[in-house]
Amino acid sequence: MPPIPAAAPDIPAPDAPAPDAPAPDIPAPGTSGPQPTRQPARRPTPRLGPAYRFVAAVGGLACRLAGRPDWRGTEHFPRQGGYITAVNHNSVFDPFVYGYFQYRTGLPPRFLIKSSLFTRPLVGPLLRAAGQIPVERASSRAAQALDGAREALARGECVAIYPEGTLTRDPDLWPGPGKTGAARLALMTRAPVVPVAQWGAHRVVPPYGLGGRRVRLRPRPTFVVAVGPPVDLSDLYDLEPTAAVLHEASARIMAAITAVLEDIRGERHPGHPGGAGTPAARPLAS
């Protein structure tokens, strides 16, 4: 799937300053004059090569032509250090929408992407030049992708993961069960996991050709991307990463994504009428 969206000068980032904005002048101690409010220290802006900027420009243009943005909850992004975003996936077009949103916050994403895309002509070299991270699923080399993701997090970057590993199979487009990659990376690095839900891209490119059409350009939908508070995994950090621990962490991540999507859609997940979509995470057996 093509992963990188683009910057749009006509649509300002919702809660973040422009990436190249200068820091405000702060008078030296003992000087006179008004004292500006100190802003939180900002992480360095990642260096983006021409390939990233090219894909960002093309993806952003596609998003602006295809729909209208509605960005919510960016105050939940950590202001310091790297973090993981865990995103639902219901259309091959939604990486453009989410990536466009994330790019506009000032911290462009590094996607974990299935390795088969890196072998395709034109697409593969472009993904590599843009610094995206290949994942060889169901192989012994899958752990190498986590090494690349760990390095990106250590640099203070955003690593974007689709925990389901593929398009949702749910007929109503609710998130399905999560795989353990995002959980494993989170417990390994203790980086914050920020749940992100998006809704609207499926109206442009329906998953699996639902509705009998591959692309719908009219009417233009609203692309909603919403961010929830980071998922609390702190009680799992010091535990052995057994299958039970990883599944517990993954269940919490998927429940958090589903809760954000419930807010967007204004309805409850039918499988869990009283709570946050997917079945609530159960305490680990002692």
Side-chain angles (χ1 to χ4, degrees):
M1 74 192 79
I4 311 299
D10 55 317
I11 301 179
D15 294 294
D20 299 323
D25 289 331
I26 306 294
T31 60
S32 59
Q35 299 291 315
T37 302
R38 288 185 179 271
Q39 301 297 319
R42 291 170 51 209
R43 60 174 61 82
T45 301
R47 293 183 178 275
L48 304 179
Y52 199 125
R53 295 187 184 280
F54 171 75
V55 179
V58 173
L61 177 62
C63 288
R64 297 195 300 275
L65 292 175
R68 297 173 293 274
D70 179 0
W71 308 152
R72 308 175 187 177
T74 55
E75 70 275 6
H76 294 302
F77 283 132
R79 299 298 182 184
Q80 293 290 317
Y83 56 82
I84 301 162
T85 53
V87 192
N88 69 312
H89 193 20
N90 58 33
S91 168
V92 296
F93 190 62
D94 67 50
F96 283 110
V97 175
Y98 158 71
Y100 172 38
F101 159 80
Q102 185 68 48
Y103 187 92
R104 294 300 301 155
T105 69
L107 191 64
R110 302 291 183 188
F111 284 84
L112 266 65
I113 303 171
K114 62 182 180 180
S115 59
S116 60
L117 289 177
F118 287 77
T119 64
R120 297 184 181 180
L122 182 62
V123 173
L126 202 56
L127 291 177
R128 292 186 186 280
Q132 304 312 301
I133 304 170
V135 179
E136 296 195 35
R137 297 185 294 189
S139 83
S140 59
R141 289 188 289 180
Q144 294 178 3
L146 296 188
D147 291 339
R150 250 193 323 194
E151 293 170 3
L153 291 170
R155 293 192 299 267
E157 297 192 51
C158 166
V159 172
I161 300 179
Y162 291 98
E164 298 164 88
T166 188
L167 289 168
T168 180
R169 296 285 181 174
D170 186 88
D172 295 319
L173 304 185
W174 290 103
K179 300 185 183 301
T180 59
R184 188 182 299 275
L185 180 62
L187 297 183
M188 180 189 305
T189 62
R190 303 194 179 189
V193 180
V194 183
V196 178
Q198 58 77 35
W199 189 249
H202 64 286
R203 303 191 192 283
V204 176
V205 184
Y208 308 111
L210 295 178
R213 296 172 62 183
R214 292 185 178 275
V215 179
R216 301 171 180 170
L217 298 179
R218 290 291 183 273
R220 290 176 71 226
T222 297
F223 297 140
V224 182
V225 182
V227 184
V231 182
D232 184 7
L233 302 175
S234 58
D235 59 311
L236 306 180
Y237 287 157
D238 294 323
L239 299 181
E240 185 73 20
T242 61
V245 169
L246 292 173
H247 283 293
E248 167 72 8
S250 182
R252 294 184 193 181
I253 292 169
M254 296 312 302
I257 296 171
T258 304
V260 178
L261 185 58
E262 287 179 329
D263 288 341
I264 295 175
R265 295 175 59 166
E267 60 181 314
R268 291 294 186 185
H269 185 285
H272 196 267
T278 55
R282 294 184 295 275
L284 289 174
S286 57

